[in-house]
Coordinates of all heavy atoms in Angstrom, one line a residue:
A20 N 131.7 -6.3 -242.2 CA 131.8 -7.1 -243.6 C 132.1 -8.5 -243.4 O 132.8 -8.8 -242.6 CB 132.8 -6.3 -244.4
A21 N 131.5 -9.3 -244.2 CA 131.7 -10.7 -244.1 C 133.1 -11.1 -244.6 O 133.7 -10.4 -245.5 CB 130.7 -11.5 -244.9
A22 N 133.7 -12.1 -244.1 CA 135.0 -12.6 -244.6 C 134.8 -13.3 -245.8 O 133.6 -13.7 -246.3 CB 135.4 -13.6 -243.6
T23 N 135.8 -13.4 -246.6 CA 135.8 -14.0 -248.0 C 136.5 -15.4 -248.0 O 137.6 -15.5 -247.2 CB 136.6 -13.0 -248.9 OG1 136.1 -11.8 -249.0 CG2 136.6 -13.6 -250.3
V24 N 135.9 -16.3 -248.5 CA 136.5 -17.6 -248.8 C 136.4 -17.9 -250.3 O 135.3 -18.0 -250.8 CB 135.6 -18.7 -247.8 CG1 136.1 -20.0 -248.3 CG2 135.8 -18.2 -246.4
E25 N 137.5 -18.4 -250.7 CA 137.5 -18.9 -252.1 C 137.9 -20.4 -252.1 O 138.7 -20.9 -251.4 CB 138.6 -18.1 -252.9 CG 138.3 -16.6 -252.9 CD 137.1 -16.3 -253.8 OE1 136.8 -17.0 -254.7 OE2 136.5 -15.1 -253.5
T26 N 137.2 -21.2 -253.1 CA 137.6 -22.4 -253.2 C 138.8 -22.6 -254.2 O 139.0 -21.8 -255.1 CB 136.3 -23.3 -253.7 OG1 136.0 -22.9 -254.9 CG2 135.3 -23.4 -252.7
V27 N 139.6 -23.6 -253.9 CA 140.6 -23.9 -254.9 C 140.3 -25.3 -255.5 O 140.2 -26.3 -254.7 CB 142.0 -24.1 -254.1 CG1 143.3 -24.4 -255.1 CG2 142.4 -22.7 -253.4
M28 N 140.2 -25.2 -256.7 CA 139.7 -26.3 -257.5 C 140.7 -26.9 -258.5 O 141.4 -26.0 -259.0 CB 138.3 -26.0 -258.3 CG 137.2 -25.4 -257.5 SD 136.4 -26.5 -256.3 CE 135.4 -27.6 -257.4
D29 N 140.7 -28.2 -258.8 CA 141.5 -28.6 -259.8 C 140.8 -29.7 -260.7 O 140.4 -30.7 -260.1 CB 142.8 -29.3 -259.3 CG 143.8 -29.9 -260.3 OD1 143.7 -29.4 -261.4 OD2 144.6 -30.7 -259.8
D30 N 140.5 -29.4 -261.9 CA 139.7 -30.2 -262.8 C 138.3 -30.7 -262.1 O 138.0 -31.8 -262.0 CB 140.5 -31.5 -263.1 CG 139.9 -32.3 -264.3 OD1 139.2 -31.6 -265.1 OD2 140.1 -33.4 -264.5
G31 N 137.7 -29.6 -261.5 CA 136.4 -29.8 -260.7 C 136.4 -30.5 -259.5 O 135.3 -30.7 -258.8
E32 N 137.6 -30.7 -258.9 CA 137.7 -31.4 -257.7 C 138.2 -30.3 -256.6 O 139.2 -29.5 -256.9 CB 138.7 -32.6 -257.7 CG 138.8 -33.4 -256.4 CD 139.6 -34.7 -256.6 OE1 139.7 -35.2 -257.7 OE2 140.2 -35.0 -255.6
L33 N 137.6 -30.4 -255.4 CA 138.0 -29.5 -254.3 C 139.5 -29.9 -253.9 O 139.7 -31.0 -253.4 CB 137.0 -29.5 -253.2 CG 137.3 -28.6 -252.0 CD1 137.3 -27.0 -252.5 CD2 136.2 -28.9 -250.9
R34 N 140.3 -28.9 -253.8 CA 141.7 -29.1 -253.4 C 142.0 -28.3 -252.0 O 142.9 -28.6 -251.2 CB 142.8 -28.7 -254.4 CG 142.7 -29.3 -255.7 CD 143.2 -30.8 -255.4 NE 143.3 -31.5 -256.6 CZ 143.2 -32.9 -256.7 NH1 143.3 -33.6 -255.6 NH2 143.3 -33.5 -257.8
G35 N 141.1 -27.3 -251.8 CA 141.3 -26.6 -250.6 C 140.5 -25.2 -250.6 O 139.6 -25.0 -251.5
I36 N 140.7 -24.4 -249.7 CA 140.0 -23.1 -249.7 C 141.1 -22.0 -249.2 O 142.1 -22.4 -248.6 CB 139.0 -23.0 -248.6 CG1 139.3 -23.2 -247.1 CG2 137.8 -23.8 -249.1 CD1 138.2 -22.9 -246.2
I37 N 140.9 -20.8 -249.6 CA 141.8 -19.7 -249.1 C 140.8 -18.7 -248.5 O 139.9 -18.2 -249.1 CB 142.5 -19.0 -250.3 CG1 143.5 -20.0 -250.9 CG2 143.3 -17.9 -249.8 CD1 144.3 -19.6 -252.2
S38 N 141.1 -18.4 -247.2 CA 140.2 -17.5 -246.4 C 141.2 -16.2 -246.2 O 142.2 -16.3 -246.5 CB 139.9 -18.1 -245.1 OG 141.1 -18.2 -244.2
D39 N 140.3 -15.2 -245.7 CA 141.2 -14.0 -245.3 C 142.2 -14.3 -244.4 O 143.3 -13.7 -244.6 CB 140.1 -13.1 -244.7 CG 139.1 -12.5 -245.5 OD1 139.2 -12.7 -246.9 OD2 138.1 -11.9 -245.0
G40 N 142.0 -15.2 -243.5 CA 143.1 -15.5 -242.5 C 144.3 -16.2 -243.2 O 145.4 -15.9 -242.7
D41 N 144.0 -17.0 -244.2 CA 145.1 -17.6 -244.9 C 145.9 -16.5 -245.7 O 147.2 -16.6 -245.6 CB 144.7 -18.7 -246.0 CG 144.0 -19.8 -245.4 OD1 144.4 -20.3 -244.4 OD2 142.9 -20.3 -245.9
V42 N 145.3 -15.5 -246.2 CA 146.0 -14.5 -246.8 C 146.7 -13.6 -245.8 O 148.0 -13.2 -246.0 CB 145.0 -13.5 -247.7 CG1 145.7 -12.2 -248.2 CG2 144.4 -14.4 -248.8
R43 N 146.1 -13.3 -244.7 CA 147.0 -12.5 -243.7 C 148.1 -13.3 -243.2 O 149.2 -12.7 -243.0 CB 146.0 -12.3 -242.4 CG 145.1 -11.0 -242.6 CD 144.4 -10.6 -241.3 NE 143.8 -11.7 -240.6 CZ 142.4 -12.2 -240.8 NH1 141.9 -11.5 -241.8 NH2 142.0 -13.1 -240.2
R44 N 148.0 -14.5 -243.0 CA 149.2 -15.3 -242.7 C 150.3 -15.4 -243.6 O 151.5 -15.4 -243.3 CB 148.8 -16.8 -242.1 CG 148.0 -16.8 -240.8 CD 147.8 -18.3 -240.4 NE 146.8 -18.8 -241.3 CZ 145.4 -18.7 -241.0 NH1 145.0 -17.8 -240.2 NH2 144.5 -19.3 -241.8
A45 N 149.9 -15.3 -244.9 CA 150.9 -15.4 -246.0 C 151.6 -14.1 -246.2 O 152.8 -14.0 -246.2 CB 150.1 -15.7 -247.3
F46 N 150.9 -12.9 -245.8 CA 151.6 -11.7 -245.7 C 152.7 -11.6 -244.6 O 153.7 -11.0 -244.7 CB 150.7 -10.5 -245.5 CG 150.1 -10.0 -246.9 CD1 148.9 -10.2 -247.2 CD2 151.0 -9.4 -247.8 CE1 148.3 -9.8 -248.4 CE2 150.4 -8.8 -249.0 CZ 149.1 -9.2 -249.3
E47 N 152.4 -12.3 -243.5 CA 153.3 -12.4 -242.5 C 154.4 -13.2 -242.6 O 155.5 -13.0 -242.2 CB 152.6 -12.8 -241.1 CG 151.5 -11.9 -240.6 CD 150.7 -12.4 -239.4 OE1 150.9 -13.6 -239.2 OE2 149.8 -11.6 -239.0
K48 N 154.3 -14.4 -243.4 CA 155.2 -15.4 -243.7 C 156.1 -15.2 -244.8 O 157.4 -15.5 -244.7 CB 154.5 -16.8 -243.7 CG 155.4 -17.9 -244.0 CD 154.7 -19.2 -244.1 CE 155.6 -20.4 -244.2 NZ 154.9 -21.7 -244.3
Y49 N 155.6 -14.6 -245.8 CA 156.4 -14.5 -247.0 C 156.7 -13.0 -247.3 O 155.8 -12.1 -247.2 CB 155.6 -14.9 -248.2 CG 155.3 -16.5 -248.2 CD1 154.1 -16.9 -247.8 CD2 156.3 -17.4 -248.5 CE1 153.8 -18.2 -247.6 CE2 156.0 -18.7 -248.2 CZ 154.7 -19.1 -247.9 OH 154.4 -20.5 -247.8
E50 N 157.9 -12.8 -247.7 CA 158.4 -11.3 -248.2 C 157.6 -10.9 -249.4 O 157.3 -9.7 -249.3 CB 159.9 -11.3 -248.4 CG 160.5 -10.0 -248.4 CD 162.0 -9.9 -248.3 OE1 162.6 -10.7 -247.5 OE2 162.6 -9.5 -249.3
N51 N 157.4 -11.7 -250.4 CA 157.0 -11.3 -251.6 C 155.6 -12.2 -251.9 O 156.0 -13.2 -252.5 CB 157.9 -11.2 -252.7 CG 157.4 -10.7 -254.0 OD1 156.1 -10.5 -254.2 ND2 158.1 -10.6 -255.0
I52 N 154.5 -11.9 -251.6 CA 153.4 -12.7 -251.8 C 153.0 -12.9 -253.3 O 152.3 -13.8 -253.6 CB 152.1 -12.2 -251.0 CG1 151.1 -13.4 -250.8 CG2 151.6 -10.9 -251.5 CD1 150.1 -13.1 -249.8
T53 N 153.4 -12.0 -254.1 CA 153.0 -12.1 -255.6 C 153.7 -13.2 -256.2 O 153.3 -13.7 -257.3 CB 153.5 -10.9 -256.2 OG1 154.9 -10.6 -256.2 CG2 152.8 -9.6 -255.7
T54 N 154.6 -14.0 -255.6 CA 155.2 -15.1 -256.3 C 154.7 -16.4 -255.6 O 155.2 -17.5 -256.0 CB 156.8 -15.0 -256.1 OG1 157.1 -15.1 -254.7 CG2 157.4 -13.9 -256.7
I55 N 153.9 -16.5 -254.7 CA 153.3 -17.6 -254.0 C 152.1 -18.1 -254.7 O 151.2 -17.4 -255.1 CB 153.0 -17.1 -252.4 CG1 154.2 -16.6 -251.8 CG2 152.5 -18.3 -251.7 CD1 155.4 -17.4 -251.8
S56 N 152.0 -19.5 -254.7 CA 150.9 -20.1 -255.5 C 149.7 -20.2 -254.3 O 150.0 -20.2 -253.1 CB 151.3 -21.5 -255.9 OG 151.5 -22.3 -254.8
A57 N 148.6 -20.4 -254.9 CA 147.4 -20.7 -254.0 C 147.6 -22.0 -253.2 O 147.3 -21.9 -252.0 CB 146.2 -21.0 -255.0
E58 N 148.3 -22.9 -253.7 CA 148.6 -24.2 -253.1 C 149.4 -24.0 -251.8 O 149.3 -24.7 -250.9 CB 149.2 -25.2 -254.0 CG 149.5 -26.6 -253.5 CD 150.2 -27.5 -254.5 OE1 150.9 -27.0 -255.3 OE2 150.0 -28.7 -254.2
A59 N 150.4 -23.0 -251.9 CA 151.2 -22.9 -250.7 C 150.5 -22.2 -249.6 O 150.9 -22.4 -248.4 CB 152.3 -21.8 -251.2
I60 N 149.4 -21.5 -249.8 CA 148.7 -20.7 -248.7 C 147.3 -21.3 -248.2 O 146.8 -21.0 -247.2 CB 148.6 -19.2 -248.8 CG1 147.8 -18.9 -250.0 CG2 150.1 -18.7 -249.0 CD1 147.3 -17.5 -250.1
M61 N 146.7 -22.2 -249.2 CA 145.5 -22.7 -248.9 C 145.3 -23.7 -247.7 O 146.3 -24.3 -247.3 CB 144.9 -23.4 -250.2 CG 145.5 -24.7 -250.4 SD 144.9 -25.4 -252.0 CE 145.6 -26.9 -252.0
T62 N 144.2 -23.8 -247.2 CA 143.8 -24.8 -246.2 C 143.4 -26.0 -247.0 O 142.5 -25.9 -247.8 CB 142.6 -24.2 -245.3 OG1 142.9 -23.1 -244.7 CG2 142.2 -25.3 -244.4
R63 N 144.2 -27.0 -246.8 CA 144.0 -28.3 -247.6 C 142.9 -29.1 -247.1 O 142.5 -30.1 -248.0 CB 145.4 -28.9 -247.5 CG 146.5 -28.4 -248.1 CD 147.8 -29.0 -248.1 NE 148.9 -28.2 -248.5 CZ 149.4 -28.3 -249.7 NH1 148.7 -29.1 -250.7 NH2 150.4 -27.5 -250.1
T64 N 142.4 -29.0 -246.0 CA 141.4 -29.9 -245.6 C 140.1 -29.1 -245.1 O 139.8 -29.0 -244.0 CB 141.9 -30.8 -244.4 OG1 142.4 -30.0 -243.4 CG2 142.8 -31.7 -244.9
P65 N 139.5 -28.4 -246.1 CA 138.3 -27.5 -245.6 C 137.1 -28.5 -245.1 O 137.0 -29.7 -245.5 CB 137.8 -27.0 -247.0 CG 138.5 -27.9 -248.0 CD 139.6 -28.5 -247.5
K66 N 136.5 -27.8 -244.3 CA 135.3 -28.6 -243.8 C 134.2 -28.5 -244.7 O 133.9 -27.5 -245.4 CB 134.9 -27.9 -242.3 CG 135.9 -27.8 -241.4 CD 136.5 -29.1 -240.9 CE 137.4 -29.0 -239.8 NZ 138.5 -30.0 -239.6
T67 N 133.4 -29.6 -244.8 CA 132.2 -29.5 -245.7 C 131.0 -29.9 -245.1 O 130.9 -30.5 -243.9 CB 132.5 -30.5 -247.0 OG1 132.6 -31.8 -246.3 CG2 133.8 -30.3 -247.7
V68 N 129.8 -29.5 -245.8 CA 128.5 -29.8 -245.3 C 127.6 -30.3 -246.5 O 127.8 -29.7 -247.6 CB 127.9 -28.6 -244.6 CG1 127.6 -27.5 -245.5 CG2 126.6 -29.2 -243.8
A69 N 126.9 -31.3 -246.4 CA 126.0 -31.8 -247.5 C 125.0 -30.6 -247.8 O 124.3 -30.1 -246.8 CB 125.4 -33.1 -247.2
S70 N 124.7 -30.6 -249.0 CA 123.7 -29.5 -249.5 C 122.3 -29.8 -248.9 O 121.5 -28.7 -248.9 CB 123.7 -29.4 -250.9 OG 123.2 -30.7 -251.6
D71 N 121.9 -30.9 -248.5 CA 120.6 -31.1 -248.0 C 120.5 -30.9 -246.4 O 119.4 -31.3 -245.8 CB 120.1 -32.6 -248.4 CG 120.8 -33.6 -247.8 OD1 122.0 -33.4 -247.2 OD2 120.6 -34.8 -248.0
K72 N 121.6 -30.6 -245.7 CA 121.6 -30.2 -244.4 C 120.7 -29.0 -244.1 O 120.8 -28.0 -244.9 CB 122.9 -30.2 -243.8 CG 123.6 -31.4 -243.8 CD 123.1 -32.6 -242.9 CE 123.9 -33.8 -243.0 NZ 123.4 -34.8 -242.2
R73 N 120.1 -29.0 -242.9 CA 119.5 -27.6 -242.5 C 120.4 -26.7 -242.1 O 121.5 -27.0 -241.6 CB 118.5 -28.1 -241.4 CG 117.4 -29.1 -241.9 CD 116.5 -29.4 -240.7 NE 115.8 -28.2 -240.2 CZ 114.7 -27.7 -240.7 NH1 114.2 -28.4 -241.7 NH2 114.1 -26.7 -240.2
F74 N 120.0 -25.3 -242.1 CA 121.0 -24.3 -241.6 C 121.4 -24.6 -240.2 O 122.4 -24.3 -239.9 CB 120.2 -23.0 -241.7 CG 120.4 -22.3 -242.9 CD1 119.8 -21.0 -243.1 CD2 121.4 -22.6 -243.9 CE1 120.1 -20.2 -244.3 CE2 121.6 -21.9 -245.0 CZ 121.0 -20.7 -245.3
S75 N 120.5 -25.1 -239.3 CA 120.6 -25.2 -238.0 C 121.8 -26.2 -237.7 O 122.7 -26.1 -237.0 CB 119.5 -25.6 -237.2 OG 118.9 -26.8 -237.7
E76 N 121.7 -27.3 -238.6 CA 122.8 -28.4 -238.5 C 124.2 -27.8 -239.0 O 125.1 -28.1 -238.4 CB 122.4 -29.5 -239.5 CG 121.3 -30.3 -238.9 CD 120.8 -31.4 -239.9 OE1 120.2 -30.9 -240.9 OE2 121.0 -32.6 -239.6
A77 N 124.2 -26.9 -240.0 CA 125.5 -26.4 -240.5 C 126.0 -25.5 -239.6 O 127.2 -25.4 -239.1 CB 125.1 -25.7 -241.8
E78 N 125.1 -24.6 -238.7 CA 125.6 -23.8 -237.8 C 126.1 -24.6 -236.5 O 127.2 -24.2 -236.1 CB 124.3 -22.9 -237.2 CG 124.8 -22.0 -236.1 CD 123.6 -21.2 -235.6 OE1 122.4 -21.6 -235.6 OE2 123.8 -20.0 -235.2
E79 N 125.6 -25.7 -236.1 CA 126.1 -26.5 -235.1 C 127.4 -26.9 -235.4 O 128.4 -27.1 -234.7 CB 125.1 -27.7 -234.7 CG 123.8 -27.3 -234.1 CD 122.9 -28.4 -233.9 OE1 123.3 -29.7 -234.2 OE2 121.7 -28.2 -233.7
Q80 N 127.6 -27.5 -236.7 CA 128.9 -28.0 -237.2 C 129.9 -26.9 -237.2 O 131.0 -27.2 -236.7 CB 128.8 -28.5 -238.6 CG 129.9 -29.2 -239.2 CD 129.7 -29.8 -240.5 OE1 128.7 -29.9 -241.0 NE2 130.9 -29.8 -241.2
M81 N 129.5 -25.6 -237.6 CA 130.5 -24.6 -237.7 C 131.1 -24.2 -236.1 O 132.2 -24.0 -235.9 CB 130.0 -23.4 -238.2 CG 129.9 -23.4 -239.8 SD 129.4 -21.9 -240.4 CE 128.1 -22.4 -241.6
L82 N 130.2 -24.3 -235.1 CA 130.4 -23.9 -234.0 C 131.3 -25.0 -233.3 O 132.2 -24.8 -232.6 CB 129.2 -23.7 -233.1 CG 128.3 -22.5 -233.4 CD1 127.0 -22.4 -232.7 CD2 129.1 -21.2 -233.2
A83 N 130.8 -26.3 -233.5 CA 131.7 -27.4 -232.9 C 133.0 -27.4 -233.5 O 134.0 -27.8 -232.8 CB 130.9 -28.7 -233.3
Q84 N 133.2 -27.2 -234.8 CA 134.6 -27.3 -235.4 C 135.3 -25.9 -235.3 O 136.4 -25.8 -235.8 CB 134.4 -27.7 -236.9 CG 133.8 -29.1 -237.1 CD 133.5 -29.6 -238.4 OE1 133.4 -28.9 -239.3 NE2 133.6 -30.9 -238.6
K85 N 134.5 -24.9 -234.8 CA 135.3 -23.5 -234.7 C 135.8 -23.0 -236.0 O 136.9 -22.6 -236.1 CB 136.3 -23.7 -233.6 CG 135.9 -24.0 -232.3 CD 137.0 -24.1 -231.2 CE 136.4 -24.4 -229.9 NZ 137.3 -24.6 -228.9
V86 N 134.7 -23.1 -237.0 CA 135.1 -22.5 -238.3 C 134.0 -21.6 -238.6 O 132.9 -21.7 -238.2 CB 135.3 -23.5 -239.5 CG1 136.4 -24.4 -239.1 CG2 134.1 -24.4 -239.6
N87 N 134.3 -20.6 -239.6 CA 133.2 -19.6 -239.9 C 132.6 -20.0 -241.3 O 131.7 -19.3 -241.7 CB 133.9 -18.2 -240.1 CG 134.3 -17.7 -238.7 OD1 133.6 -17.9 -237.8 ND2 135.3 -16.9 -238.7
S88 N 133.2 -21.0 -242.0 CA 132.8 -21.3 -243.3 C 132.8 -22.8 -243.5 O 133.6 -23.6 -243.0 CB 133.7 -20.7 -244.4 OG 133.7 -19.3 -244.3
L89 N 131.9 -23.3 -244.3 CA 131.7 -24.7 -244.8 C 131.7 -24.6 -246.3 O 130.9 -23.9 -246.9 CB 130.6 -25.4 -244.2 CG 130.6 -25.6 -242.7 CD1 129.3 -26.1 -242.2 CD2 131.7 -26.5 -242.2
V90 N 132.2 -25.6 -247.0 CA 132.1 -25.8 -248.4 C 131.0 -26.7 -248.5 O 130.8 -27.8 -247.9 CB 133.4 -26.4 -249.1 CG1 133.1 -26.7 -250.5 CG2 134.5 -25.5 -249.0
V91 N 129.9 -26.2 -249.4 CA 128.7 -27.1 -249.5 C 128.8 -28.1 -250.7 O 129.4 -27.6 -251.8 CB 127.5 -26.2 -249.8 CG1 126.2 -26.9 -249.9 CG2 127.3 -25.1 -248.6
V92 N 128.6 -29.4 -250.5 CA 128.8 -30.4 -251.5 C 127.5 -31.1 -251.7 O 126.7 -31.2 -250.8 CB 129.9 -31.3 -251.2 CG1 131.2 -30.6 -251.2 CG2 129.7 -32.0 -249.8
D93 N 127.3 -31.5 -253.0 CA 126.0 -32.2 -253.3 C 126.2 -33.7 -253.0 O 127.3 -34.2 -252.5 CB 125.6 -32.0 -254.8 CG 126.6 -32.5 -255.8 OD1 127.6 -33.3 -255.5 OD2 126.4 -32.1 -256.9
G94 N 125.3 -34.5 -253.4 CA 125.3 -36.0 -253.1 C 126.5 -36.8 -253.9 O 126.9 -37.8 -253.5
D95 N 127.0 -36.1 -255.0 CA 128.2 -36.6 -255.6 C 129.6 -36.1 -255.1 O 130.5 -36.2 -255.8 CB 128.0 -36.3 -257.1 CG 126.8 -37.2 -257.9 OD1 126.5 -38.2 -257.3 OD2 126.3 -36.5 -258.6
N96 N 129.4 -35.4 -254.0 CA 130.7 -34.6 -253.4 C 131.2 -33.5 -254.3 O 132.5 -33.3 -254.2 CB 131.7 -35.7 -253.0 CG 132.5 -35.1 -251.8 OD1 132.0 -34.5 -251.0 ND2 133.7 -35.5 -251.7
K97 N 130.4 -33.1 -255.1 CA 130.7 -31.8 -256.0 C 130.4 -30.6 -255.2 O 129.3 -30.4 -254.7 CB 130.1 -31.9 -257.3 CG 130.3 -33.1 -258.2 CD 131.7 -33.0 -258.7 CE 132.1 -34.4 -259.5 NZ 133.2 -34.6 -259.9
V98 N 131.3 -29.6 -255.4 CA 131.1 -28.3 -254.8 C 129.9 -27.5 -255.5 O 130.0 -27.4 -256.6 CB 132.5 -27.4 -254.7 CG1 132.1 -26.1 -254.3 CG2 133.5 -28.1 -254.1
V99 N 129.0 -27.1 -254.5 CA 128.0 -26.3 -255.0 C 127.8 -24.9 -254.4 O 127.0 -24.1 -254.8 CB 126.5 -27.0 -254.8 CG1 126.5 -28.3 -255.8 CG2 126.3 -27.4 -253.5
G100 N 128.7 -24.7 -253.4 CA 128.8 -23.4 -252.8 C 129.6 -23.2 -251.6 O 130.2 -24.3 -251.2
V101 N 129.5 -22.2 -250.9 CA 130.2 -22.0 -249.7 C 129.2 -21.2 -248.6 O 128.6 -20.4 -249.2 CB 131.5 -21.1 -249.7 CG1 132.0 -20.7 -248.3 CG2 132.5 -21.7 -250.7
L102 N 129.1 -21.9 -247.5 CA 128.1 -21.3 -246.5 C 129.0 -20.7 -245.3 O 129.9 -21.4 -244.9 CB 127.2 -22.4 -246.0 CG 126.2 -22.0 -244.9 CD1 125.2 -21.0 -245.6 CD2 125.6 -23.3 -244.3
Q103 N 128.7 -19.4 -245.1 CA 129.4 -18.8 -244.0 C 128.5 -18.6 -242.8 O 127.3 -18.5 -242.9 CB 130.0 -17.4 -244.4 CG 131.1 -17.6 -245.7 CD 131.7 -16.4 -246.0 OE1 131.2 -15.6 -246.6 NE2 133.0 -16.3 -245.6
I104 N 129.1 -18.5 -241.7 CA 128.3 -18.3 -240.4 C 127.3 -17.0 -240.5 O 126.3 -17.0 -240.0 CB 129.1 -18.1 -239.2 CG1 128.4 -18.2 -237.8 CG2 130.0 -16.9 -239.1 CD1 127.8 -19.7 -237.6
Y105 N 127.9 -16.0 -241.2 CA 127.1 -14.8 -241.5 C 125.9 -15.1 -242.3 O 124.8 -14.5 -242.0 CB 128.0 -13.8 -242.2 CG 129.4 -13.6 -241.7 CD1 130.5 -14.2 -242.3 CD2 129.6 -13.0 -240.4 CE1 131.7 -14.2 -241.9 CE2 130.9 -13.0 -239.9 CZ 131.9 -13.5 -240.6 OH 133.2 -13.5 -240.0
D106 N 125.9 -16.0 -243.1 CA 124.7 -16.4 -244.0 C 123.7 -17.1 -243.0 O 122.5 -16.8 -243.1 CB 125.0 -17.5 -245.1 CG 126.1 -17.0 -246.1 OD1 126.0 -15.7 -246.5 OD2 126.9 -17.7 -246.5
V107 N 124.1 -17.9 -242.3 CA 123.3 -18.7 -241.2 C 122.5 -17.8 -240.3 O 121.4 -17.8 -239.9 CB 124.0 -19.8 -240.5 CG1 123.2 -20.5 -239.4 CG2 124.6 -20.8 -241.5
N108 N 123.4 -16.7 -239.7 CA 122.8 -15.9 -238.8 C 122.0 -14.7 -239.3 O 121.2 -14.0 -238.5 CB 124.0 -15.2 -238.0 CG 124.5 -16.2 -237.0 OD1 123.9 -17.2 -236.6 ND2 125.8 -16.1 -236.8
R109 N 121.9 -14.6 -240.6 CA 121.2 -13.5 -241.3 C 119.8 -13.8 -241.2 O 119.3 -15.0 -241.4 CB 121.6 -13.3 -242.8 CG 121.1 -12.2 -243.5 CD 121.6 -12.0 -244.9 NE 122.5 -13.2 -245.4 CZ 122.5 -13.5 -246.7 NH1 122.0 -12.8 -247.5 NH2 123.4 -14.4 -247.0
K110 N 118.9 -12.9 -241.0 CA 117.5 -13.0 -240.8 C 117.0 -13.0 -242.3 O 117.3 -12.3 -243.1 CB 116.8 -11.9 -240.1 CG 117.4 -11.8 -238.8 CD 116.3 -12.0 -237.7 CE 116.9 -11.7 -236.4 NZ 117.5 -12.7 -235.6
I111 N 116.2 -14.1 -242.6 CA 115.7 -14.4 -243.8 C 114.1 -13.9 -243.8 O 113.5 -14.4 -243.0 CB 115.9 -15.9 -244.3 CG1 117.4 -16.1 -244.4 CG2 115.2 -16.1 -245.8 CD1 117.7 -17.4 -244.9

């Protein structure tokens, strides 16, 4: 199964992401995760890729930066999606 990544937005602006790994670490760190905010566990500096980049370029970036996901942004730096390594490796 593919990992889940959720964007954390504030008034249309990207503030961070929350990955499966962030949630696992939160369970290890906090006694009661139900009282913790998204801001407390999110990755504040998510890696991004421009929406006009080729899959091969995104894959190279993921491998170089050792990440499984990239937030896809348009020319105005607005979030348009999330690309995961599983999407790149899938046969189309």
Side-chain angles (χ1 to χ4, degrees):
T23 301
V24 174
E25 298 293 335
T26 57
V27 180
M28 308 286 290
D29 183 18
D30 198 24
E32 189 173 328
L33 179 65
R34 296 293 184 200
I36 61 169
I37 298 177
S38 68
D39 291 348
D41 294 322
V42 173
R43 276 194 308 275
R44 286 184 291 278
F46 273 109
E47 293 170 1
K48 183 176 180 180
Y49 299 101
E50 191 170 309
N51 184 359
I52 195 167
T53 62
T54 62
I55 304 304
S56 68
E58 184 177 30
I60 67 170
M61 72 183 183
T62 298
R63 295 174 187 274
T64 54
K66 307 297 185 208
T67 62
V68 65
S70 60
D71 62 351
K72 294 291 181 183
R73 300 178 60 84
F74 266 178
S75 60
E76 293 173 288
E78 181 181 31
E79 287 174 13
Q80 183 178 339
M81 285 186 230
L82 293 172
Q84 295 177 339
K85 298 180 181 174
V86 296
N87 292 325
S88 304
L89 296 171
V90 177
V91 182
V92 294
D93 66 12
D95 296 324
N96 210 33
K97 298 289 182 194
V98 174
V99 295
V101 175
L102 180 65
Q103 295 185 287
I104 194 74
Y105 315 104
D106 298 325
V107 175
N108 290 330
R109 189 174 6 154
K110 302 247 187 271
I111 298 175

